[in-house]
Amino acid sequence: MRHNTCMAKVGHASTHLRVAGPDWVTLARFPAALAILTAALARQPSRSLLVALLCFAVATDVADGWWARRAGIASDKGAKLDSAADAALSLAVVAALVATVRGPMMPWVWWAIGAVSAVRVAGLCVTFMRFGVVSIAHTWGNKAAGAVLAAAATWVLASGRLDSWPVAVGCVVAGAAAIEELAMAATARAYDRDRKGWWDAASPQRQ
């Protein structure tokens, strides 16, 4: 009986620790982020390599969520892993932009980036204080912001120039998404990671 109980515990632990297919796709984003950082810090960075790596990383970000939802195996663990992978990729892309891109940085650019970042951090803080989770909701606004920022980063890395218009477009879209999520976090009765936007008040609330 004791042997059977131990075997049951081992089987339960192995099931709990099993990594699903979408999670492997998410995990691929970590070495991709490291590769982007390494390529950017090379003596002669290859812009084509940086763009290819970034496109691969973005593809994993799209594929993992789609696969998990289609297979019905989306989980809180996978969502947390996805957020960590996104953070690693974002830091690597910022470092790559700083290391490889040259161009005029008008004062408003820093103010705009700082303002958007402040609103985003405020939204994360409110979400954590009210619901005890650190997460970014899967709103249409956040998806649009991610797509626009990825496109802008790809354009800047490919051209090697930091023009004002990609920064302006990215800040407008990302700022609107951050403001929407902050308002949602401040007024929602329960946390719903899959809420599509402010208008989606009837979405089932899941913690």
Side-chain angles (χ1 to χ4, degrees):
M1 178 67 70
R2 183 177 179 181
H3 176 73
N4 291 338
T5 302
C6 291
M7 291 298 294
K9 289 182 178 179
V10 171
H12 177 74
S14 62
T15 301
H16 180 71
L17 295 175
R18 188 178 301 161
V19 179
D23 292 338
W24 284 114
V25 178
T26 303
L27 287 170
R29 202 140 65 249
F30 288 100
L34 180 60
I36 289 173
L37 181 61
T38 302
L41 297 178
R43 181 169 297 181
Q44 292 183 337
S46 169
R47 297 204 175 279
S48 58
L49 176 60
L50 286 170
V51 170
L53 289 171
L54 178 56
C55 290
F56 169 77
V58 171
T60 66
D61 194 19
V62 174
D64 57 1
W66 175 85
W67 186 359
R69 289 188 296 272
R70 185 175 180 83
I73 54 176
S75 65
D76 186 62
K77 181 190 71 173
K80 291 179 179 178
L81 183 63
D82 183 69
S83 296
D86 286 345
L89 177 61
S90 298
L91 291 174
V93 171
V94 170
L97 291 173
V98 172
T100 65
V101 176
R102 299 292 180 268
M105 288 291 286
M106 303 298 292
W108 70 266
V109 171
W110 296 111
W111 284 105
I113 293 175
V116 173
S117 300
V119 176
R120 178 61 70 187
V121 171
L124 290 171
C125 291
V126 171
T127 300
F128 179 76
M129 288 187 295
R130 295 198 64 207
F131 309 112
V133 296
V134 178
S135 177
I136 295 177
H138 300 155
T139 63
W140 288 114
N142 282 332
K143 291 179 180 180
V148 169
L149 291 175
T154 302
W155 172 274
V156 173
L157 283 176
S159 64
R161 301 190 311 273
L162 188 59
D163 298 322
S164 297
W165 70 266
V167 179
V169 173
C171 285
V172 168
V173 178
I179 291 171
E180 179 187 49
E181 183 159 12
L182 174 59
M184 287 166 47
T187 58
R189 294 184 178 181
Y191 183 68
D192 180 10
R193 182 182 287 109
D194 294 320
R195 188 175 176 183
K196 300 306 180 183
W198 177 265
W199 45 268
D200 190 20
S203 175
Q205 300 297 321
R206 294 177 292 275
Q207 187 128 2

